[in-house]
Amino acid sequence: MEVVIVPDATAGGELIAEAIASLLSRKPDALLGVATGSTPLPVYRALAAKVSSGAVDASRARICQLDEYVGLPAGHPESYRSVVLREVVEPLGLSEASFMGPDGSAEDVQAACQAYDKALADAGGVDLQLLGIGTDGHIGFNEPCSSLASRTRIKTLTEQTRIDNARFFDDDIEQVPHHVITQGIGTILDARHPILLATGEGKADAVARTVEGPVASIVPASALQLHPHATVVVDEAAASKLKLADYFRATYAAKPQWQGL
């Protein structure tokens, strides 16, 4: 696991956008896994700016969802499909045909989970998966004590996650669904390059437990330690509880430029 400490969220967004740009230059039809929430927005803004300036050609890129609420009406503005279309697909100038995600309104949710897991594999697998992290260490919606071998499935959200997400529903927790479809930890680890972005002091405990703690289901993100090419990008606030922060800074500063992110 590589840990990169950046000054702030904007710098983190630019760094990851540059990694995506490099990937698209090598593989124009790369399948990019995207996360929702406020944390990855600097990534999407930086990438859209590169596309707009002509520095990046994303015309053949494919986009896939990490997770989706169960039970929200089709077209609900806070369904993750709507969010990804609004914040990623449209700013990159892509069509909805380039996008794939699980069906949270399916009558048979279990079948929808299995179908999405298969669709990702049939598409050749995720080339780069962008991740956020919850205050309790969850990735996707794999809550604490999720199986580290889990595949795409339905999960019940913890009360803390619903509280955290209420800000997207007019601060009304009663509007936040209780269930989601999420890529499992095993599915996430199938991605060729998972990149976790964390910003703010509120994520510092979760980051420290993910990076420096044991691999344990109580901290789902710690499973990234098992991946041969996982990257964790954190700002100074989110890095504030890392015991090895100085080492991480030194190793990144000495990294050969040809290695990239």
Side-chain angles (χ1 to χ4, degrees):
M1 175 186 290
E2 179 179 31
V3 179
V4 182
I5 301 173
V6 295
D8 51 35
T10 299
E14 183 62 36
L15 181 68
I16 296 172
E18 187 58 41
I20 295 172
S22 178
L23 170 62
L24 290 174
S25 70
R26 302 188 308 271
K27 186 177 182 180
D29 64 344
L31 181 57
L32 307 175
V34 297
T36 52
S38 56
T39 299
L41 291 179
V43 178
Y44 305 143
R45 294 190 190 112
L47 186 60
K50 291 179 184 299
V51 170
S52 179
S53 70
V56 175
D57 179 4
S59 61
R60 294 173 57 193
R62 298 171 294 156
I63 306 295
C64 65
Q65 267 178 271
L66 183 61
D67 38 43
E68 180 60 275
Y69 285 119
V70 171
L72 287 185
H76 189 287
E78 293 307 325
S79 74
Y80 287 139
R81 182 181 185 88
S82 295
V83 172
V84 170
L85 289 174
R86 185 169 65 241
E87 295 179 350
V88 184
V89 174
E90 293 173 7
L92 294 183
L94 302 175
S95 70
E96 198 165 341
S98 69
F99 170 80
M100 58 191 297
D103 184 359
S105 62
E107 186 172 330
D108 188 339
V109 178
Q110 294 278 44
C113 294
Q114 294 170 6
Y116 188 53
D117 212 70
K118 183 177 184 300
L120 292 174
D122 290 347
V126 179
D127 291 294
L128 185 151
Q129 177 64 60
L130 184 59
L131 301 164
I133 187 171
T135 54
D136 58 3
H138 75 253
I139 49 174
F141 276 116
N142 296 285
E143 300 285 15
C145 292
S146 291
S147 165
L148 302 187
S150 54
R151 310 302 302 180
T152 301
R153 68 214 191 284
I154 185 171
K155 288 291 289 182
T156 301
L157 298 181
T158 64
E159 189 72 2
Q160 184 60 55
T161 297
R162 295 181 69 237
I163 290 170
D164 289 346
N165 285 8
R167 68 188 188 277
F168 300 113
F169 292 84
D170 299 321
D171 290 320
D172 181 5
I173 192 173
E174 295 305 317
Q175 294 186 45
V176 182
H178 286 269
H179 298 95
V180 291
I181 293 174
T182 184
Q183 287 187 34
I185 296 173
T187 308
I188 290 170
L189 292 179
D190 282 346
R192 295 177 182 87
H193 187 188
I195 301 180
L196 188 152
L197 175 63
T199 56
E201 188 176 359
K203 300 296 178 69
D205 280 322
V207 167
R209 295 169 70 199
T210 293
V211 172
E212 298 176 339
V215 175
S217 63
I218 193 69
V219 185
S222 68
L224 293 174
Q225 294 181 35
L226 302 173
H227 196 282
H229 185 203
T231 304
V232 175
V233 178
V234 291
D235 69 358
E236 290 289 350
S240 61
K241 297 191 177 181
L242 289 172
K243 296 177 181 178
L244 297 177
D246 287 343
Y247 171 72
F248 297 138
R249 291 187 183 95
T251 55
Y252 186 68
K255 185 177 183 178
Q257 187 173 2
W258 56 264
Q259 281 189 319
L261 190 61

